[in-house]
Amino acid sequence: MSQQQQQFNTSRNVFVITNGDSLVGYALAYRCLEAMEKREEGPEISGHKLRILCRSRSGFGLSRLEKMGAEIMEVNYKDEDKMHHCMKDVMCVTMIPEFSSDREKEAECLIKAAKNQHVEHVSMMSWIGVDRIHKGDASQQGSEFRNLEQICRIEKMVKEEFSGEKHCIVRFPMLYQLFYYLAPQLEGDNCLCLPVEKNKKFTSLDLNDVVEGVYRLAKKQRERFAGRQIELQFKKQVYEFTCPKALNGEEMAREIGEGLGRHDLKFQHVSENDMKKQLEHIKKDGRFKERPDQRGDFKKGRDGFWAFPINKYIHESKINTMMEWWHLANKGELDMHSDELRHILDREPHSLKKYFEENRDQFKRFK
């Protein structure tokens, strides 16, 4: 890296995480701030700031991140002037697409502003399987995978506007933490209910591992900016994070049951309509209004306050996107495996059983 480029980079001392009022955005922001507090970062990060973009501060616990040093900015992602202001002095952006009907337009506005303000690098959080929605009957694509199609087009935008080493896309699957939304059934009815046929296998992951993996990728990226050599596994443009082994519903019920100390947990295939009703019910459940106060531990897979999926995260667009993902699972497109996360973490990602063992007390609260 030239001296001129290094001087240019030192004037850009802001890192941005979008969609801070989402489960992944909040957890990732907390992991970065925790590292800054504990001085886990190298000298190349000193003097840098974290800016978190959100639609709304209210009810998401963002003031807790602000106390740790984050700059919180409420934004309308379609406001081009506001987006240009948000990208001022920014070196890197981690973009988490919105769960909204306008996510494509919002992402386009943000990407253009980043390009205009000469942001060095854009990373995007995406979904495992978005590259598989075009398999099969193309005539059905328009209605069946509308939300995943949008994510796919946002990926394309990122690749085109920040080509080569200026971008990175991380695809991840359904998160173990979403089982909290099913906890009343797990604990009350002794049943794991999912809209997936019992013989269909799909991959899922611990949010703690996803966030730890993304944090490590970002740290290596900053080392590269500082002129240091990094290993090949940190130089890819697309990563697919998966668990060690895809499981079907019955295998999941067995692992969850063993993790919770119960060996009679059953799997039940339910309709999408029943699943939607369950999520709508959780939106009104007071137990999901506030974050529990646990500190947690990313590396052990023990959930802290930042990993709990509060009911404000449940939007219609999020529910619809999840249903499309279950469609993919039922088509057999999510029975997949990659070692990329294991190489980045330098250990196996947490198994479903291990995750439930570590967080057993959290789930017991829903009895």
Side-chain angles (χ1 to χ4, degrees):
M1 187 183 289
S2 68
Q3 187 178 5
Q4 183 184 11
Q5 197 172 355
Q6 282 183 324
Q7 286 171 346
F8 178 68
N9 281 342
T10 54
S11 69
R12 297 182 167 275
N13 64 345
V14 179
F15 301 115
V16 165
I17 294 174
T18 78
N19 205 349
D21 42 354
S22 70
L23 179 63
V24 176
Y26 192 96
L28 186 55
Y30 177 75
R31 177 67 184 95
C32 294
L33 291 163
E34 179 191 67
M36 289 172 169
E37 274 192 341
K38 291 181 178 176
R39 308 221 181 278
E40 287 180 34
E41 300 279 3
E44 62 274 357
I45 200 71
S46 64
H48 284 68
K49 291 184 288 193
L50 182 67
R51 181 177 296 158
I52 301 170
L53 308 188
C54 63
R55 287 171 183 278
S56 168
R57 295 177 56 114
S58 177
F60 291 99
L62 288 160
S63 57
R64 199 160 182 169
L65 304 184
E66 199 167 37
K67 284 174 188 159
M68 294 174 75
E71 178 190 5
I72 313 290
M73 291 181 77
E74 273 190 336
V75 297
N76 170 0
Y77 288 99
K78 291 187 288 185
D79 183 335
E80 293 186 18
D81 290 339
K82 181 73 171 177
M83 282 296 104
H84 278 96
H85 176 63
C86 292
M87 294 298 130
K88 190 167 166 35
D89 300 325
V90 172
M91 180 187 276
C92 302
V93 174
T94 298
M95 180 178 71
I96 302 162
E98 293 291 307
F99 283 107
S100 80
S101 55
D102 274 341
R103 63 159 70 92
E104 211 172 331
K105 176 67 180 166
E106 290 163 336
E108 182 183 10
C109 198
L110 188 141
I111 291 164
K112 280 185 176 173
K115 181 94 170 175
N116 187 272
Q117 291 283 17
H118 308 291
V119 167
E120 286 283 307
H121 189 272
V122 170
S123 54
M124 173 185 169
M125 302 299 289
S126 184
W127 284 51
I128 284 281
V130 292
D131 56 331
R132 297 177 167 217
I133 54 181
H134 297 289
K135 291 189 177 181
D137 183 5
S139 65
Q140 294 180 11
Q141 302 305 321
S143 57
E144 192 180 6
F145 295 115
R146 191 177 63 82
N147 289 280
L148 293 181
E149 284 273 11
Q150 289 173 345
I151 303 284
C152 210
R153 288 195 291 269
I154 295 169
E155 276 195 8
K156 191 165 180 276
M157 271 189 255
V158 170
K159 289 173 183 172
E160 287 173 354
E161 294 298 329
F162 288 85
S163 57
E165 292 187 345
K166 284 181 166 284
H167 80 274
C168 164
I169 291 166
V170 176
R171 296 177 182 149
F172 64 96
M174 178 191 143
L175 300 168
Y176 296 164
Q177 280 70 11
L178 292 176
F179 286 116
Y180 282 113
Y181 290 148
L182 306 182
Q185 289 171 326
L186 289 173
E187 293 297 339
D189 303 334
N190 210 29
C191 192
L192 170 65
C193 300
L194 290 172
V196 184
E197 295 162 24
K198 70 175 184 179
N199 62 330
K200 296 296 184 185
K201 295 192 175 193
F202 59 96
T203 185
S204 54
L205 266 183
D206 181 3
L207 171 67
N208 298 294
D209 284 335
V210 172
V211 166
E212 189 65 26
V214 172
Y215 169 74
R216 288 184 178 215
L217 285 176
K219 191 173 180 183
K220 289 291 181 181
Q221 189 63 42
R222 292 192 287 272
E223 287 175 11
R224 189 173 72 81
F225 283 148
R228 288 155 68 179
Q229 288 294 317
I230 60 172
E231 302 92 321
L232 274 174
Q233 70 254 38
F234 294 101
K235 289 183 174 178
K236 295 186 68 170
Q237 262 61 67
V238 178
Y239 291 88
E240 301 211 312
F241 286 1
T242 75
C243 59
K245 194 172 94 174
L247 303 172
N248 64 32
E250 289 182 335
E251 291 166 334
M252 283 190 158
R254 186 165 58 247
E255 288 216 3
I256 292 170
E258 288 174 2
L260 292 174
R262 289 209 314 270
H263 298 274
D264 53 349
L265 190 75
K266 297 285 185 284
F267 170 74
Q268 186 180 347
H269 175 204
V270 296
S271 69
E272 283 186 21
N273 209 34
D274 283 344
M275 187 73 184
K276 285 180 179 178
K277 279 181 187 168
Q278 167 68 7
L279 293 171
E280 290 293 341
H281 179 71
I282 293 295
K283 276 175 85 167
K284 305 181 191 83
D285 190 326
R287 293 173 293 182
F288 289 86
K289 191 174 181 185
E290 303 288 338
R291 300 172 184 280
D293 206 34
Q294 278 90 340
R295 290 293 295 175
D297 187 325
F298 282 99
K299 296 184 174 90
K300 289 182 179 174
R302 187 177 303 137
D303 288 336
F305 66 91
W306 29 265
F308 184 72
I310 53 177
N311 49 17
K312 279 180 79 80
Y313 289 152
I314 302 176
H315 319 286
E316 185 184 2
S317 177
K318 178 161 191 170
I319 293 173
N320 291 336
T321 307
M322 286 170 69
M323 294 307 150
E324 290 180 17
W325 203 74
W326 299 127
H327 283 188
L328 270 182
N330 279 322
K331 285 175 178 285
E333 295 294 349
L334 299 178
D335 181 359
M336 55 197 293
H337 168 68
S338 153
D339 280 328
E340 290 170 355
L341 182 56
R342 180 170 64 82
H343 289 315
I344 290 164
L345 295 175
D346 208 20
R347 61 166 171 79
E348 285 287 0
H350 302 130
S351 69
L352 194 56
K353 178 183 173 183
K354 170 82 169 66
Y355 169 77
F356 272 87
E357 282 175 348
E358 198 67 48
N359 294 287
R360 186 180 294 182
D361 291 345
Q362 294 258 51
F363 281 87
K364 295 289 182 201
R365 293 185 295 116
F366 293 94
K367 272 200 164 173

